[in-house]
Amino acid sequence: MNTLNSAALFERAQQFIPGGVNSPVRAFKAVGGTPLFMEKAEGAYLFDADGNQYIDYIGSWGPMLLGHAFPPVIEAVKKAAEKSTSFGAPTKLEVELAELITDIVPNVDKIRMVNSGTEATMSAIRVARGFTKRDKIIKFEGHYHGHGDSFLIKAGSGALTLGTPSSPGVTAGTAKDTLLAKFNNLETVRSLFEANPDSIAALILEPIAGNVGCIPPQPGFLEGIRSLCDEFGTVLIFDEVMTGFRVSLGGAQQLFNIKADLVTYGKIIGAGLPVGAYGGREELMNVVAPSGPVYQAGTLSGNPLAMSAGLALLTELKNNPMVYYELDQKSWHLEQGLHKAFDAYGIEHTINRIGSMISVFFTNEAVIDADSAQKTNVDTFKTYFHHLLNEGVYLPPSAFESWFLSNAHTYEDLDKTIYASHTFAAKLKHS
Ligand SMILES: *Cc1c(COP(=O)(O)O)cnc(C)c1O
């Protein structure tokens, strides 16, 4: 495979952009090698700067649920662009998207548009703090909520009551207000509440973890979280930036039949344009400026191109609920095929999947939280990643990411992926 143009672009990029990329995981640091620079994409396929074609399992990290360059989205964006790219004043498109989302998600009474998932989660905890007049938040180890200071906190062992920053630049003052719990472990959550009964403003989580690989909630876990938040007067925030409109039309809330107080969205709602949103119960959302005192603003928020793209995609999803059934069937086919490929050569593996989110961990142990995810054999993943890349299959370049299927994937694409996994497993067994 010739990737000389990508290599040359990466050389240039590194001179002028930190690490040569505008978001770290793109740099391939976790898998080694040189990142590929993309030129265009269509449906389930990416085309790089050297003209190589790949079956894409990133889907721009989620937005491309119906494939790249989905014609209704492209049409809508073109039409909007001709009328100007931004007004700095309200538009009908914003009203229409807010109406559509609040219609699809019944417990979201009001919603505010922002420009990224990071902004959405930052704003949601500000609302929770302003509403409850409390300072602390609970988050889970391994859950990602964007790069806001309060969320860049990791646990060391024994750090369950006091977070330490995992990035320089996050102050100790900020870190002390973020408490860490373990996903799928209600006891760690309960003990944080009991130690801080009157000071926890919000509990935020990915209802299905997707940023340490795909990890579904165990039965009863989300219910337990919901009732603890009720018991202690804490705002429950579902970060559905990844799961919203992906695991079902109404996201994880609908799939598990749990109502959060606030929900954050991103990725799919912008159909690939930069959008985030946070919404929830009326009494909570009414504290947001200008209806209330909690300040949050954005020069480009509700941008007309982004709103038209989101409207086109969500309208299509609402009108065609079969999409979710088809996605589930395709993802199941892939899951079964991968099991067979790895089993044929005795390769240790665990596959976690919910709908069109799927991850392969190279360990036989169940992966239920950030600690068990670490059991995956990272070296095996690196080899797997590069083997598949060579065969024209583009996986997320990290052992700790969910893959995202789109409905543009064909069974032939999936079978090619399974076949490449089979040849990988054979090679690994005999190496
Ligand atoms: C991607 C992601 C974010 C951050 O969104 P950005 O648009 O990258 O700022 C937040 N939460 C979750 C669950 C995500 O997957």
Side-chain angles (χ1 to χ4, degrees), residues 165 174 394:
T174 298
Y394 191 88

Side-chain angles (χ1 to χ4, degrees), residues 116-119 121 144-147 206 211 239 241-242 267 275:
S116 67
T118 295
E119 266 189 79
T121 55
Y144 181 68
H145 304 293
H147 65 86
E206 296 180 63
N211 287 287
D239 180 355
V241 169
M242 190 180 275
K267 300 189 170 122
V275 188

Side-chain angles (χ1 to χ4, degrees), residues 6 36 81 122 184 251 289 309 344 368 370-371 376:
S6 280
L36 299 172
M122 280 169 40
N184 282 325
I368 58 159
D371 290 338
T376 191

